[in-house]
Each structure stands twice: as C-alpha cells, then as structure tokens.
Amino acid sequence: MTASTRATHLAQLNVATLLHPFDDPRMAPFVEMLDPVNAAADSTPGFVWRLVEEGAADATGLRPAGADVVVNLSVWQTQESLWDFAYRSGHLEVMRRRREWFERHVEAHMVLWWIPAGHLPTVEEALERLADLRAHGPSPRAFTFASAHTAAEAAPHLRAAPPTQTA
Amino acid sequence: MNDIDAIAMLQDPVRRRLYEYVAAQGREVGRNEAAEAAGVARTLAAHHLDRLAEAGLLESGSRRLTGRSGPGAGRPAKVYTRARAERSVSLPARDYLTAAELLAEAAEQAGLDAGLYAAAGRRGEALRGSAAPCGGLEEAVEMLAGRGYEPYLDGGEGGEGTEGTEGVRDAEGAAATPGAAAAVVRMRNCPFHAVAERFPPLVCGMNLALLEGLLGVDGPVRARMDARPGECCVVVEASKNNDR
C-alpha cells in the first residue's frame, strides 16, 4: 500500500475577508506582493497547482465565498512543502501584515485535506472541506497545521474523482 | 538522557569547546576539523564528539569529506552537526513553553498582533538601552550572537544563497540592487522556535519587532523579514538611503 500512500497530495484552502476594496490605496502593499509571492509559490519545491482565474495571474478576482472574500486554493506534494512556503518564504511577510488587510475570522479560515495525486480540487469541494472543519472540528477529512492528520489516516476519505481540467 | 544530564556533559571544557565549534558552523563538521579547532588530539576529539552525540546534543552521520565517490574515494568519515532538539533546565521544573503557547493562542484568537508587535518593539529598545542604533553589520552580528540567534554574514560578492528570494526582494518594490547581492546577516537559530512553529505570523512578527527595537529603525542597519526554511525569519542589512 506504499504506492497509494505516496500518490497523495495535500490540498489547501484559505478564505480572507477584505477590509477595503481591492483598489483602495490601503490594499496596495498587498496587491503589490501578489505577483512575486505567487511566482515564489510556483517555483517552491513540492508545489503542484494553484487556482487561477481564467486570463488572470491569480484567483483574487474569483469570489466564490462572497463579494468581499478572496480565496486561495492550492495543491502541494507534502505538508512540509506547504508549511515552508506559507511560513518560511516571502509569503510570511503577507501573513505578518494580514490584519492590515483582512478581517479577523472567528471561524476557521484555513483548511487542509488529502487528495489523490492528479486530482485538482474544485472550489465547491474546497468550501465543503472548510464547512466540514467548521462544523465538526479537525478530522482526517479536514484539518489544520496545528491538528494535522496523515495521508494514511485520510485514506478512507480520499476522493477518487477524475482530475479536473486546468484553466 | 534527560536534559540536566545532557547539559552537565558540557561542564567538561574540551567537550564544551567541541560542541560550541560544531554548533557555530551550521554544517557538518569532521573529526579532524573539530579536533584542530578545539586544540586537542583527534582521538580525544572523536571520543568526546561521540559522547555528545550519545547525549543528543550533536547528531552524527557519515560522509566522504573528499566530495568524491566510487572506488578510491576513501572511507566515509564521521561528521557532526548540532542537534535540533531543545534542552533546558530549571529547578524546580517550570513550564514557560506552555505559558508562551497559551498566551500566543489567546493573542492569535483575539487578533492582538499589533499590540504584541508594539510591546516587542519597546522591549527591543529597552534592551538596547540608551545606546545609539546599531552601527553596522559586524556590530549586529555581535548583538545577535549574544541573544542566541547564531548569526552569520552571508553574500557580499557572489550573491551565493540568494537564489529563490529574488522575487521576494522585488516584492519590496524598492531599488533592489541588480546583480551582486549585498552582504546580509542571516541567523541560524530562532530563540522562539517552538512557539514560532505553532503561531508563525504572530511570533515571527513579534521577533521582527523585537529586532527592530534592538537594532534601531533609523540607523545604518535595518532588520527585515526574509524567511527561509530552517532559519530565523529575519535578515539584517545595511539601510538604503531612500528606503522607507
């Protein structure tokens, strides 16, 4: 079963409610960091895929969770590769200043879950996982860095859905 | 071996010199090199290095130091690096880590980042006392070493080790010097490691604010965030005139 354990990727969704409209000058430092930080993600070892709006460089124009909520959906080979990108790259600076640009969420705003390698999660699927985490707390189906579950624990919850098309 | 026994091993001056030398290098160190640095015979160094590894203060492995492989490359040599595990002793036992984690969790949930950064900045300034802002990178290295950051000077000409951070540099929007990278002080150790791993933005932001206070924000050097795997989140570099 080693092969099937290895053929697993980690999906990540986070949602962030904007404090100001995207074109507000107060958002400018965040907007300026988008391209370089996304480019850094794309070249991080272990990066697999991230959601991008058709014809755009990122997914900030998609607002599937509300008009003022930006979503960030990506897939990584391992939890370590995602952690290193999130907290040990230029992305940390975005995280450090998050209170300047985003509302503080009372509920969970980030969710991790295992997927079969090759599967690209849809926004709907990602929002379902976040809802699962919010409703039931961390589980092998939906968890966080602080309450992580292994791919082996998540095996019964893996979806065998066919890969979706890339944009 | 428990923490107090491990730390007691460092009472021996030769062992202590060997440990401090290996810890300061930030890479694998062979027996010959460590022996030379500590000024003792190779066999004695080997004995003490192995004791330090048994105690969990160092990690050991083997590698061909010649960099060659295949027949004729020689036997792999034993090499040592500092162990990542933390050791601390307080008598009687006290548990500040749990306290720190609980405080960080509460601060995170309440969104107290700005207040924490302000407090850290004030603490940094208080630690600096009435001294002027840090005067240069060498002085910064000294200050940071005294606070356990294990600093080292990186770059200068070759721009070695700056790969992969260029996009981040550009994110600053500022006149990033093209071509040769300027020297920066990087740090191998995070004094807040265990809490920083659990609450990275909060604790790394606190760390940056503390260092800004310690070094001064309007002097010849400045601290800025430039996180990389396995290192402290902050680098210290010469201030640019038209920065900020």
Side-chain angles (χ1 to χ4, degrees), chain B residues 14 17-18 24 31 35 45 64 70 124 126 136 163 172 176 192 234 237:
Chain B
V14 173
R17 286 208 300 277
L18 287 164
R31 284 169 163 174
R64 286 198 171 92
E163 266 177 273
E172 303 257 303
F192 313 112
V234 170
E237 64 189 4

Side-chain angles (χ1 to χ4, degrees), chain B residues 217-232:
Chain B
V217 290
D218 43 13
V221 304
R222 66 162 195 159
R224 91 176 150 77
M225 209 153 245
D226 184 12
R228 304 176 160 195
E231 293 201 339
C232 170

Side-chain angles (χ1 to χ4, degrees), chain A residues 17-72:
Chain A
T17 306
L18 299 168
L19 281 178
H20 319 289
F22 229 58
D23 53 3
D24 186 294
R26 286 169 290 187
M27 293 301 292
F30 172 74
V31 175
E32 280 165 25
M33 279 196 268
L34 272 172
D35 281 351
V37 168
N38 281 328
D42 295 350
S43 60
T44 297
F47 169 84
V48 177
W49 172 85
R50 67 186 165 88
L51 178 69
V52 172
E53 185 185 7
E54 206 174 329
D58 56 53
T60 52
L62 300 169
R63 302 290 169 89
D68 55 351
V69 180
V70 291
V71 300
N72 194 328

Side-chain angles (χ1 to χ4, degrees), chain B residues 109-132:
Chain B
Q109 277 173 12
L112 301 178
D113 304 49
L116 176 63
Y117 300 168
R122 287 193 300 271
R123 171 63 68 93
E125 282 167 23
L127 290 170
R128 175 154 54 96
S130 55

Side-chain angles (χ1 to χ4, degrees), chain A residues 108-150:
Chain A
H109 52 89
M110 207 274 283
V111 63
L112 306 174
W113 72 103
W114 293 105
I115 55 172
H119 170 66
L120 298 181
T122 62
V123 170
E124 294 70 36
E125 174 192 342
L127 290 171
E128 272 173 37
R129 297 288 172 155
L130 183 63
D132 186 319
L133 176 68
R134 285 176 171 177
H136 307 293
S139 76
R141 296 185 307 275
F143 50 90
T144 65
F145 278 122
S147 57
H149 289 266
T150 62

